[in-house]
C-alpha cells in the first residue's frame, strides 16, 4: 500500500481510516520523522490510542468526508500522498475520491485498499468508478496474499 507513494524528502502524507494503526506504524517507520504525517480516524478511542502510541503523528479524530476542512484546520492546503483504508460505508456517505483529489498536490498519489474477494460487488465497482472519475487512470495492483482476506491496492495519481 505504501510502495506507490513518493515518501522522499519531507512529504505531507494523510492516512484515512487509521484504525488500529498498522499502516500508521509502517508510515511512521518509512518517514522516520521527516515530513508531516496526518492520520484521520473516526473512532475517538482508536484515535486516542494512536496519538498516545505515535506522538510524532498528527492524529485527527474526525470524518474523512470532511478532509479538506480538517486539513485547513491544521494549516495544510495540499498533500503529497493520501493512503486510505476506508470501508465502503465511508465511500457511500461522502465523495471520498473527490475530497482526496481536492487536497492532493500535482504529482501526488492516492492509494486505497480493496478486498480482492469482493472486487466484483457493486460497492467495489462504484469505488473504482469514483476513483476513475476523479483521477482518470487508476492502476489496480495485483493480489496481496499476505492480507486476510487477500486484498489489492488501487493507485491513482494527480
Amino acid at each position: 500500500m505504501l510502495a506507490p507513494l513518493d515518501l522522499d524528502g519531507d512529504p505531507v502524507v494523510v492516512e484515512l481510516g487509521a484504525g488500529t494503526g498498522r499502516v500508521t506504524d509502517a508510515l511512521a517507520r518509512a518517514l522516520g520523522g521527516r515530513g508531516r504525517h496526518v492520520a484521520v480516524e473516526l473512532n475517538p478511542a482508536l484515535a486516542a490510542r494512536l496519538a498516545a502510541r505515535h506522538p510524532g503523528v498528527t492524529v485527527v479524530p474526525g470524518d474523512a468526508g470532511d478532509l479538506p476542512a480538517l486539513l485547513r484546520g491544521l494549516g495544510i492546503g495540499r498533500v503529497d500522498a493520501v493512503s486510505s483504508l476506508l470501508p465502503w460505508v465511508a465511500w457511500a456517505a461522502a465523495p471520498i475520491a473527490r475530497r482526496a483529489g481536492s487536497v492532493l498536490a500535482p504529482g501526488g498519489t492516492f492509494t486505497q485498499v480493496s478486498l480482492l474477494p469482493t472486487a466484483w460487488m457493486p460497492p467495489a465497482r462504484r469505488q473504482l468508478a469514483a476513483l476513475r472519475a476523479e483521477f482518470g487512470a487508476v492502476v489496480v495492483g495485483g493480489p496481496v496474499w499476505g492480507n486476510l482476506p487477500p486484498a489489492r491496492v488501487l493507485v491513482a495519481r494527480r
Side-chain angles (χ1 to χ4, degrees), residues 6-102:
D6 180 5
L7 300 178
D8 293 335
D10 291 318
V12 178
V13 181
V14 175
E15 176 186 357
L16 301 178
T20 59
R22 295 287 305 243
V23 172
T24 309
D25 297 342
L27 265 173
R29 277 192 309 274
L31 290 170
R34 297 175 294 103
R36 184 144 187 210
H37 178 178
V38 177
V40 178
E41 174 51 49
L42 183 61
N43 182 307
L46 290 176
R49 278 188 239 153
L50 277 176
R53 200 167 83 224
H54 290 286
V57 175
T58 303
V59 178
V60 178
D63 189 326
D66 299 327
L67 183 61
L70 294 174
L71 292 175
R72 274 193 307 276
L74 297 172
I76 299 172
R78 293 277 182 215
V79 303
D80 301 299
V82 177
S83 182
S84 171
L85 285 165
L86 292 174
W88 290 335
V89 69
W91 284 74
I96 298 299
R98 191 169 350 129
R99 303 278 165 77
S102 74

